[in-house]
DNA sequence: GATACCATTTTGGGATACCAAGCCGGTATC
DNA sequence: GATACCGGCTTGGTATCCCAAAATGGTATC
């Protein structure tokens, strides 16, 4: 793999994995030495990550994008629009076998599964559901939205019960899709997204002090 | 303005203005000499334009993105989802004064207005309508979709009547928004988008030979 | 005449040198 | 002691150089 894609990938993982905190300043020289690459691939990576919303300009200079509660709420509205549209398309397909694969993915998580895996699968559920629609733009929109939400969802304090509820909602959505009931599937998905948003925003809002203590920038709604 | 933004802006205008044809190969060195910039800003511009879908990689190397009929159809579905969502938000606002500004924009076009202006205003109608929703992500989605559609819409052979019909539909949509009738506004907007798509795709499909003759790459649906 | 092969050129990817602007610290003056 | 000013240092922006790989074109061979 070329150095350019490598820097981009590694830096993205560092940001998503919170190894560099939201709001932290980034210098091209630091990234350069950190990954042993020169500034050309570093700049390419930063430009790409900027379009993904993971880094942003800070006057002259770069910052890891802060967690923005207002943005999270706007993304939820956006997600709802594109995910529901994708879901309706999927329900209209003759071949809905992708649903089985997605369901298997959900079922691969059990009590012994590490938290990161639950986190990843929880996002992939939505991403793969969108991919199944066959519409590249809806798919990308959902994938990008989930990327933007990723860090916030990771920081969310979730109890076992909340996780179980989310999984039950995921299964219920798939069930409606399998039955080809687009209206019901859309209703369930919308409710799931709105519920997720509320839990996420209140969790982060309540824990704001703790997050700030960890050096994470959280800008209020 | 910095050289970097300059190259990006100028190159984007060349592409959108069809001064470089869809499917044409681009070399970094040509862009460099064309705009009197060095390769660093040229690369930054290409990376940005790639995410906008205006240029794409061609193995090693760059090409101006071809007109892709399948993509145009997918974008129409995507547009419908995000534009309708934005419209519903706008209808729910107390302050819908943006509608008046948008209407004035439409009315600024008359018989003496050059075609480029009709073209621009026709896109801005949708973009500004999305912006009025206040949701940054829906707005960006619409703007990006319109950018991707821009060249195809420019190549579309449109008669006076079709343009008049589009304007009438625009006005009808605004009327419903002003009345706060979200359901009716959504219906009209959906119909408008679907109609636009059909006219666009059939027009380009019929004119495919002519476009190829002008050296424009058009990949079929 | 077609084709396979080799030299040359072109091209994008990467590295590095240079510059101007902004930030920070120190110092001198009041 | 506070503040204004100055100089060095850091940083992103730009230009340029180098390299490997791929395209190109010409030639020799069959």
């Amino acid at each position: 793999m070329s150095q350019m894609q490598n820097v981009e990938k590694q830096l993205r993982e560092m940001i998503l994995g919170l190894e560099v905190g939201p709001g932290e300043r980034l210098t091209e020289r630091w990234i350069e030495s950190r990954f042993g690459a020169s500034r050309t691939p570093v700049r390419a990576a930063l430009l790409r990550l900027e379009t993904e919303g993971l880094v942003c300009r800070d006057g002259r200079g770069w910052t890891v994008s802060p967690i923005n509660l207002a943005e999270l709420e706007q993304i939820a509205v956006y997600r709802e629009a594109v995910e529901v549209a994708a879901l309706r398309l999927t329900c209209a397909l003759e071949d809905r076998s992708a649903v089985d694969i997605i369901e298997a993915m959900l079922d691969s998580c059990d009590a012994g599964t590490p938290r990161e895996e639950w986190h990843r699968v929880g996002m992939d559920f939505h991403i793969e559901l969108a991919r199944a629609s066959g519409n590249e733009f809806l798919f990308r929109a959902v994938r990008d939205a989930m990327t933007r939400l990723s860090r916030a969802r990771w920081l969310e304090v979730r109890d076992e019960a909340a996780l179980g509820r989310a999984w039950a909602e995921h299964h219920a959505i798939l069930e409606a899709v399998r039955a080809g009931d687009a209206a019901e599937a859309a209703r369930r998905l919308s409710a799931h997204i709105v519920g997720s948003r509320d839990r996420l925003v209140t969790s982060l809002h309540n824990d704001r002090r703790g997050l700030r203590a960890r050096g994470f920038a959280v800008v209020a709604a």
Side-chain angles (χ1 to χ4, degrees), chain A:
Chain A
M1 183 184 297
S2 73
Q3 194 67 276
M4 200 177 81
Q5 295 169 330
N6 217 31
V7 173
E8 180 186 340
K9 195 175 165 185
Q10 289 188 50
L11 184 55
R12 182 187 295 109
E13 276 172 16
M14 279 192 74
I15 293 172
L16 291 179
L18 296 166
E19 295 172 55
V20 285
E24 206 163 309
R25 298 277 315 243
L26 288 175
T27 68
E28 297 185 354
R29 257 93 178 186
W30 178 81
I31 301 168
E32 188 182 350
S33 68
R34 177 71 177 70
F35 298 108
S38 86
R39 292 180 66 200
T40 310
V42 167
R43 302 196 89 238
L46 285 169
L47 285 172
R48 289 245 174 73
L49 294 176
E50 186 188 20
T51 71
E52 294 181 34
L54 296 183
V55 303
C56 54
R57 299 204 108 89
D58 170 37
R60 221 174 64 130
W62 301 93
T63 321
V64 178
S65 297
I67 305 285
N68 185 326
L69 296 185
E71 184 182 283
L72 295 181
E73 294 185 0
Q74 291 207 338
I75 290 179
V77 174
Y78 176 57
R79 270 185 73 186
E80 189 181 343
V82 289
E83 289 198 43
V84 166
L87 192 68
R88 288 182 186 281
L89 286 185
T90 304
C91 286
L93 296 177
E94 317 87 47
D95 176 21
R96 297 197 292 276
S97 59
V99 168
D100 298 326
I101 298 170
I102 295 171
E103 187 134 50
M105 198 175 69
L106 287 180
D107 292 337
S108 73
C109 289
D110 57 28
T113 308
R115 194 180 155 212
E116 296 115 45
E117 186 69 4
W118 283 88
H119 180 250
R120 199 183 56 72
V121 171
M123 317 209 102
D124 281 351
F125 168 80
H126 293 274
I127 295 171
E128 294 305 319
L129 203 50
R131 192 205 299 272
S133 73
N135 188 298
E136 182 70 17
F137 293 88
L138 292 173
F139 161 64
R140 273 188 235 162
V142 172
R143 191 195 49 193
D144 293 353
M146 295 313 287
T147 301
R148 281 184 141 92
L149 289 176
S150 177
R151 293 178 303 162
R153 286 165 61 97
W154 180 254
L155 288 171
E156 185 181 4
V157 280
R158 280 164 124 166
D159 51 11
E160 203 76 20
L163 223 46
R165 213 176 323 142
W167 244 243
E169 289 172 7
H170 288 170
H171 277 291
I173 292 163
L174 290 181
E175 184 195 2
V177 174
R178 190 178 282 119
D181 186 349
E184 180 59 24
R187 252 193 305 278
R188 290 179 183 175
L189 179 56
S190 284
H192 174 65
I193 291 174
V194 170
S196 292
R197 178 204 59 186
D198 288 342
R199 284 190 294 272
L200 178 62
V201 171
T202 55
S203 166
L204 292 186
H205 187 82
N206 291 339
D207 194 32
R208 222 169 58 188
R209 201 173 297 271
L211 296 173
R212 287 260 168 74
R214 294 170 66 182
F216 295 165
V218 180
V219 337

